[in-house]
Amino acid sequence: MILNQPTTLFDLAIYSNRIITGETIQRGCVLIKDGVIVEVTDHVEPGAATNVINVGNKVLMAGIIDPHVHINEPGRTDWEGFDTATKAAIAGGLTSLVDMPLNSSPVTTTLNALHKKIAATQKQLHTNVGFWAGLVPGNSGEVEGLIAGGVLGFKAFLTHSGIDEFPNVTEDDLRLAMPVIARHNLPLLVHCELTTPNNHPTTNNRSYQQYLASRPKEWEDNAIAIVIRLCEEFNCHVHIVHLSSANSIQQIKNAKAKGLPLTVETGQHYLYFNAEDIPDGQTQYKCAPPIREKENNDQLWEALKDGTIDFVATDHSPATPNLKELESGNLMQAWGGIASLQFALPVLWTAAKKRNISLQQVSRWLCVNPAKLIGRQHVKGTIAKGYDADLVVWDPEESFTVVAENILHKHKITPYLNQSLYGVTKQTFIAGEKVFDKDEMFLNHGKLLFNQHNKSI
């Protein structure tokens, strides 16, 4: 007779001395079966799991969710694509991405374009991927169909997007679409810059300070005021992407204090770099809204810590070397976008570490709160019973230098090149399957993420 025979045979057991579970770090073991976390426990019977991994003192955290990624496929795969973007993601511990609608061709503003986007993912998904649809003038009639097609929400610009096929909306356009989006309980993501005549003429196209002055804080602040007003009027979940202006923090606090369904993200680059340190002609730093001064960025940190800003997302937006104007250094003409997907975790952790910020806070900003935006807070972003076993094992004490040969993005253009960062991804798991282990990859384990209205979910 065999005593103490386990009644359940788990697929995987991962031991760690540092498991991030919500607001705590605990020593123990995560038990996984059929891609789902069954239990987090401090004791497991021998033989209870077919596969046992002990990661020792390395951190075991929920897989990172990045809801702001420009993958650019179909149509602009010379910029990036599903294969390269999702390989870079798993190497950085990211297990779920949401693709932005504007840099592909066709732009994702119709159901037909969404179907083309989904078709382009075939045999190229190494992480989970969902889609935002685009809201542009004249496509309010497409909103219902796109929701039925499974998009996780909508993205709009209040200024020129950089892509002519994706024009910016007006307040009238928002008024047509927001009641429909609100009725389906999905978020509206807004790029908040409201272009007005600029009193800062540009005399040197290579000057970062002149580029900064060309996109003043007022553009953001005025746009944010509009979307807060509409958020309240329609009770529509509005999400402000890549907040850069600290001058808007107070109006965001006021809106949240009123209980409005408003959420906010900022980007790693606004927390890591400061305008004073950016050399002229270095177009890899160009983004919109721009990286601002240290005093401004210190206030972003405080707003992140007190919960005014909900989380951090990369806004990974790569382009070809020609579009980045690397040779000319023309900041006014260069494509505005920072490539950083693979380094989402170490960039944030390196900057956070200097401010004595905890691992739990970083997990909240990269995992827990992004899961809420995409409607997956009950199954992703947390290590707990019943959640998907999307996990990352990483070493917060180990450092590395970003070098071109280790970058898996299609292009190696990034302001993080040659930066020394803390936080090395050791292993990544999706639904309990190992997809990354040091330099080895196990591909095509990603799934499509649809909203609750899509019956294929």
Side-chain angles (χ1 to χ4, degrees):
M1 181 177 182
I2 301 176
L3 299 176
N4 299 322
Q5 181 70 23
T7 56
T8 301
L9 188 65
F10 301 102
D11 300 323
L12 178 62
I14 306 178
Y15 286 87
S16 172
N17 295 330
R18 292 191 286 181
I19 304 171
I20 302 178
T21 54
E23 297 302 310
T24 64
I25 295 179
Q26 69 181 77
R27 180 179 182 178
C29 181
V30 176
L31 297 173
I32 298 161
K33 187 171 180 64
D34 298 329
V36 175
I37 298 169
V38 177
E39 192 174 356
V40 183
T41 181
D42 57 4
H43 178 72
V44 182
E45 293 290 337
T50 54
N51 188 15
V52 178
I53 299 172
N54 191 331
V55 302
N57 208 40
K58 296 177 182 64
V59 169
L60 180 61
M61 187 173 79
I64 296 163
I65 299 169
D66 192 339
H68 195 148
V69 183
H70 297 269
I71 296 176
N72 307 333
E73 189 169 4
R76 289 191 173 91
T77 52
D78 53 333
W79 296 22
E80 190 69 276
F82 287 107
D83 181 57
T84 50
T86 58
K87 281 177 179 173
I90 59 175
L94 288 81
T95 53
S96 294
L97 312 177
V98 189
D99 176 55
M100 284 293 172
L102 63 149
N103 292 354
S104 55
S105 184
V107 291
T108 318
T109 54
T110 66
L111 184 58
N112 183 52
L114 176 64
H115 289 157
K116 290 180 179 179
K117 174 83 75 170
I118 291 170
T121 68
Q122 296 301 306
K123 298 182 180 179
Q124 295 200 90
L125 286 191
H126 315 310
T127 56
N128 302 315
V129 173
F131 306 104
W132 303 120
L135 186 64
V136 295
N139 85 323
S140 60
E142 293 277 352
V143 169
E144 292 275 12
L146 284 161
I147 291 171
V151 299
L152 300 177
F154 291 82
K155 169 73 178 292
F157 277 71
L158 291 179
T159 188
H160 192 281
S161 70
I163 300 291
D164 290 338
E165 309 96 288
F166 200 98
N168 57 281
V169 294
T170 64
E171 183 173 332
D172 288 342
D173 297 315
L174 292 175
R175 288 182 170 279
L176 286 173
M178 287 178 80
V180 182
I181 297 169
R183 187 167 66 247
H184 290 282
N185 198 31
L186 293 177
L188 171 65
L189 287 68
V190 187
H191 178 123
C192 290
E193 285 184 293
L194 196 63
T195 308
T196 56
N198 198 326
N199 297 322
H200 301 278
T202 302
T203 58
N204 179 0
N205 287 334
R206 290 174 53 85
S207 167
Y208 185 80
Q209 292 303 320
Q210 290 191 18
Y211 170 67
L212 177 60
S214 76
R215 299 188 88 105
K217 294 179 185 179
E218 289 78 10
W219 284 15
E220 280 190 83
D221 305 331
N222 295 338
I224 288 170
I226 290 173
V227 299
I228 288 175
R229 174 164 50 81
L230 295 175
C231 171
E232 182 170 21
E233 181 176 345
F234 294 104
N235 195 34
C236 177
H237 179 182
V238 169
H239 179 73
I240 297 168
V241 297
H242 49 52
L243 178 69
S244 148
S245 171
N247 289 359
S248 278
I249 290 170
Q250 190 57 55
Q251 64 172 329
I252 291 167
K253 282 185 176 180
N254 295 343
K256 287 191 167 191
K258 293 169 83 171
L260 300 188
L262 180 73
T263 53
V264 184
E265 74 185 53
T266 191
Q268 280 88 343
H269 39 284
Y270 301 125
L271 303 170
Y272 188 89
F273 297 113
N274 298 309
E276 295 91 334
D277 304 322
I278 296 176
D280 289 346
Q282 300 301 301
T283 58
Q284 64 268 36
Y285 291 89
K286 181 184 175 180
C287 58
I291 298 167
R292 303 194 187 277
E293 303 86 353
K294 183 180 186 301
E295 181 182 1
N296 178 92
N297 299 344
D298 286 344
Q299 293 177 64
L300 295 179
W301 270 109
E302 292 306 311
L304 185 61
K305 289 193 289 185
D306 70 21
T308 304
I309 298 174
D310 296 270
F311 62 81
V312 185
T314 62
D315 187 11
H316 176 71
S317 186
T320 62
N322 284 343
L323 283 170
K324 286 301 285 184
E325 294 282 344
L326 291 183
E327 291 189 13
S328 72
N330 188 329
L331 285 156
M332 297 302 167
Q333 293 297 321
W335 177 259
I338 287 177
S340 59
L341 185 64
Q342 189 173 336
F343 309 112
L345 172 59
V347 168
L348 182 60
W349 173 240
T350 300
K353 195 169 180 285
K354 296 175 182 176
R355 296 171 179 265
N356 297 315
I357 287 168
S358 70
L359 293 166
Q360 298 97 303
Q361 286 174 292
V362 169
S363 174
R364 190 185 317 133
W365 299 333
L366 292 179
C367 312
V368 178
N369 288 349
K372 297 175 185 176
L373 180 70
I374 68 171
R376 289 296 193 283
Q377 64 269 34
H378 303 300
V379 290
K380 293 189 185 296
T382 301
I383 294 180
K385 182 177 180 179
Y387 280 70
D388 294 344
D390 297 347
L391 306 165
V392 56
V393 176
W394 64 287
D395 188 339
E397 284 78 43
E398 186 176 345
S399 65
F400 69 102
T401 299
V402 179
V403 292
E405 53 265 34
N406 292 339
I407 296 175
L408 298 179
H409 311 148
K410 181 159 285 188
H411 301 290
K412 317 304 181 185
I413 307 163
T414 175
Y416 299 110
L417 195 65
N418 299 320
Q419 293 286 319
S420 293
L421 304 175
Y422 281 92
V424 175
T425 299
K426 298 296 183 179
Q427 295 173 323
T428 307
F429 298 83
I430 294 178
E433 296 288 336
K434 187 190 295 180
V435 296
F436 176 79
D437 190 346
K438 296 173 185 165
D439 296 321
E440 190 175 10
M441 292 190 176
F442 308 90
L443 303 178
N444 296 304
H445 286 279
K447 304 292 183 186
L448 291 171
L449 301 175
F450 294 117
N451 70 45
Q452 60 184 343
H453 307 286
N454 185 295
K455 301 307 179 186
S456 63
I457 190 171

